[in-house]
């Protein structure tokens, strides 16, 4: 177990109990009425979901940056998150929001984006063009899904549908239950496992695509693992919590200096740090004294965008 | 373990890059592939490493076609050093060299150590690659290939952009590999290096193999005139030849 993993596990061990107590109402297990119920049915599923979604986004970001050999890569680049969002928006548009119907629509959207991506990029005859084509196809799918989402918003049948679409897109973990956890946790963990298994091939890519192939890496298998791994992690995240941006971008950067810089050693610590970041951001959303609770997606974007700019400036100076 | 290609031809965007090339490479030899820009040298090397699929013909290792081999078996036998010195992440020299063990799915500490020592990188083991000079980086990338203990080393212009001291130190490592029975195939632009250090030279011109033999024969002034269109002659003793060109 590396230094980064141990450090992050200690931080998580401190943050998890704190997150259960923190909120608009600070919980005192001894005095707060229905404390056990609030903990078991409201705060615990919410905390677990924050950890699961953050872990998925963090691991996907680390794997994406390794795959594209670019520290500015983000899971959103592959078009899977916008695909999932489109699925969810369609569910909201037609009013199919009961139970797990909305997440199911979002997962179908993520699956559709994954299938389209594999169909376009998986068939290149020249393996040397694989990753570039893959990224371009992903960006086109993201644009298309974004445009269709905007279309759905502009054609929303009523103000209530439009409001619920826009609110959902902002991303949040409010009012989530154990049902959401039961759906999201296995899928996300399976996705992280797939990405973790791809670690060795991502390490080989450090030397470029040609050298990686000479080391026995099969580009098609690796592409398949990336589509499946990011699809499961990011698609599930969007399905249960809406669009939560920047986690996949920020987290690998924060963690990389603590590791030996190999893509494979970044995936597990990024999953832990992603979980920690989303958990903490969700607590911040809950305790800020605003009239309505700050949306998690907005909070993370407010942190993420300035960070991204700082990163660009550092890269310009050749530091990153 | 003989590496051979038979009737190899490659087309790119309708244009013939390599046409009907057949040859055998022998273990223990340093074979240099020479030719003017665009002659098909890198394409031949990539095809020998099974990194591109030829339009016709095949590459075999001990009579077994490369595409029929498991990619990891092929990778354990053939080490390939690309022309680009790309290292995407700022890993340590030891971790960079360790990448050579990926096809073996083991830690291979002894082999990694041996490759680091062979390439005189002992003092740089824990240094991040971003702090290395061009010559040190070239040695580290070669050590990465050697850590995989391949039977064949294919290197695309490994000596380009290196100063003369680093060229000679890298050549010494490659010679040591050849002497221990490894087959070494290099794409070389510097004809004097090919003349003085290779056991055999192939000359490519417009995708065709126009000369194949001992350096003295393959790089004769007539062959240089035919392939490069340059009038040139060799001066000096064998092993210490210098190429003089006329304007």
């Amino acid at each position: 177990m590396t230094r980064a993993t141990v450090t992050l596990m200690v931080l998580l061990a401190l943050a998890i109990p704190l997150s259960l107590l923190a909120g608009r109402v600070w919980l005192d297990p001894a005095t707060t009425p229905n404390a056990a119920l609030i903990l078991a049915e409201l705060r615990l599923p919410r905390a677990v979901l924050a950890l699961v979604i953050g872990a998925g986004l963090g691991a996907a970001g680390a794997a994406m940056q390794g795959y594209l050999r670019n520290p500015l890569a983000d899971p959103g680049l592959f078009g899977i998150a916008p695909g999932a969002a489109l699925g969810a928006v369609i569910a909201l548009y037609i009013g199919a929001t009961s139970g797990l119907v909305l997440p199911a629509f979002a997962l179908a959207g993520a699956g559709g984006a994954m299938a389209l991506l594999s169909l376009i990029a998986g068939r290149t005859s020249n393996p040397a063009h694989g990753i570039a084509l893959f990224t371009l196809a992903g960006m086109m799918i993201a644009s298309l899904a974004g445009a269709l989402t905007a279309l759905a918003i502009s054609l929303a049948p009523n103000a209530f549908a439009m409001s619920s679409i826009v609110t959902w897109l902002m991303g949040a973990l409010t009012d989530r239950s154990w049902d959401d956890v039961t759906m999201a946790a296995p899928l996300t963990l399976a996705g992280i496992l797939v990405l973790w298994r791809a670690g060795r091939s991502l390490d080989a890519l450090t030397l470029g695509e040609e050298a990686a192939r000479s080391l026995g890496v099969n580009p098609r298998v690796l592409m398949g693992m990336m589509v499946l791994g990011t699809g499961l992690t990011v698609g599930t995240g969007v399905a249960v919590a809406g669009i939560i941006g920047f986690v996949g971008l920020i987290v690998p950067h924060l963690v990389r200096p603590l590791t030996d810089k190999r893509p494979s050693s970044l995936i597990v610590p990024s999953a832990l740090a992603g979980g920690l970041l989303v958990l903490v951001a969700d607590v911040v959303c809950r305790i800020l004294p605003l009239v309505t609770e700050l949306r998690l997606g907005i909070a993370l974007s407010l942190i993420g965008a300035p960070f991204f700019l700082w990163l660009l400036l550092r890269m310009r100076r050749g530091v990153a | 373990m003989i590496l051979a290609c038979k009737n190899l031809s490659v087309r790119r965007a309708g244009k013939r890059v390599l046409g009907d090339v057949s040859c055998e490479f022998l273990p223990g030899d340093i074979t240099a592939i020479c030719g003017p820009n665009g002659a098909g040298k890198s394409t031949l090397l990539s095809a020998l490493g099974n990194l591109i699929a030829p339009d016709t013909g095949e590459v075999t290792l001990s009579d077994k076609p490369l595409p029929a081999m498991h990619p990891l078996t092929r990778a354990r036998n053939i080490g390939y050093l690309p022309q680009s010195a790309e290292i995407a992440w700022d890993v340590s020299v030891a971790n960079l060299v360790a990448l050579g063990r990926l096809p073996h799915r083991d830690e291979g500490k002894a082999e990694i150590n041996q490759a680091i020592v062979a390439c005189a990188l002992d003092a740089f083991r824990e240094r991040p690659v971003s702090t290395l000079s061009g010559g040190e980086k070239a040695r580290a990338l070669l050590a990465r290939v050697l850590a995989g203990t391949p039977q064949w080393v294919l290197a695309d212009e490994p000596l380009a952009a290196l100063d003369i001291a680093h060229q000679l130190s890298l050549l010494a490592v490659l010679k040591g590999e050849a002497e221990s029975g490894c087959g070494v195939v290099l794409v070389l632009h510097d004809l004097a290096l090919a003349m003085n250090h290779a056991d055999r030279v192939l000359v490519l011109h417009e995708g065709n193999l126009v000369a194949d033999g001992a350096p003295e024969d393959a790089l004769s002034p007539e062959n240089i005139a035919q392939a490069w269109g340059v009038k040139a002659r060799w001066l000096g003793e064998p092993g210490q030849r210098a190429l003089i060109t006329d304007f």
Side-chain angles (χ1 to χ4, degrees), chain A residues 65-71 126-127 200-211 213-218 256 260-263, chain B residues 12 46 50-52 71-72 74-75 78 80 82-84 86-92 95-96 99-103 105-106 141 144:
Chain A
Q65 292 183 5
Y67 186 60
L68 300 181
R69 284 166 287 150
N70 189 334
N126 185 350
R200 218 194 287 259
S201 300
L202 296 177
D203 285 350
L205 267 182
T206 300
L207 299 163
E209 286 184 68
E210 206 181 20
R213 280 188 290 127
S214 81
L215 284 166
V217 172
N218 183 332
R256 192 171 285 118
D260 61 17
K261 316 270 194 324
R262 286 180 305 157
Chain B
R12 287 258 172 86
S46 296
N50 198 40
L51 299 174
I52 53 167
L72 291 179
R74 194 244 311 136
I78 303 177
Y80 178 81
Q83 194 175 352
S84 82
E86 179 181 351
I87 307 170
W89 306 106
D90 197 13
V91 293
S92 68
N95 276 332
L96 176 74
L99 291 177
R101 293 308 294 176
L102 286 177
R105 298 281 191 256
D106 65 7
L141 287 165
R144 185 278 294 173

Side-chain angles (χ1 to χ4, degrees), chain A residues 21-113:
Chain A
L21 302 178
R24 192 56 62 86
V25 176
W26 281 83
L27 212 63
D28 181 347
T31 58
T32 314
N34 294 325
L37 195 67
I38 294 172
L39 266 180
E41 295 302 323
L42 293 174
R43 296 217 173 147
L44 195 56
R46 186 168 175 163
V48 173
L49 213 51
L51 290 171
V52 165
I53 291 167
L57 292 173
M64 280 285 296
Q65 292 183 5
Y67 186 60
L68 300 181
R69 284 166 287 150
N70 189 334
L72 300 181
D74 175 274
L77 272 182
F78 281 2
I80 291 164
L86 178 64
V89 166
I90 291 171
L92 291 163
Y93 183 83
I94 60 173
T97 53
S98 58
L100 290 177
V101 175
L102 189 145
F105 264 74
L107 279 180

Side-chain angles (χ1 to χ4, degrees), chain B residues 128-191:
Chain B
V129 289
S130 63
T131 64
L132 301 182
S133 72
E136 289 156 359
K137 198 184 273 184
R139 289 212 304 271
L141 287 165
L142 178 61
R144 185 278 294 173
V145 175
L146 300 185
T149 55
Q151 296 295 309
W152 286 88
V153 173
L154 311 181
D156 197 351
E157 299 203 29
L159 310 178
L162 294 186
D163 65 38
I164 190 161
H166 279 106
Q167 283 185 340
L168 293 176
S169 77
L170 226 61
L171 269 170
V173 176
L174 291 168
K175 275 189 176 176
E177 286 299 304
E179 276 161 17
S180 64
C182 180
V184 178
V185 184
L186 309 175
V187 168
L188 285 183
H189 255 305
D190 188 326
L191 300 185

Side-chain angles (χ1 to χ4, degrees), chain A residues 1-10 196 255-262 264-270 272, chain B residues 95:
Chain A
M1 210 179 281
T2 62
R3 189 168 55 110
T5 312
V6 175
T7 313
L8 288 162
M9 283 176 122
V10 171
W196 178 73
V255 173
R256 192 171 285 118
L258 305 173
T259 69
D260 61 17
K261 316 270 194 324
R262 286 180 305 157
S264 64
S265 17
L266 198 58
I267 291 173
V268 170
S270 291
L272 295 173
Chain B
N95 276 332

Side-chain angles (χ1 to χ4, degrees), chain B residues 106-123:
Chain B
D106 65 7
E107 281 200 23
K109 280 188 180 156
E111 290 84 356
I112 292 167
N113 196 40
Q114 209 174 342
I116 285 178
V117 172
C119 294
L121 290 164
D122 226 4

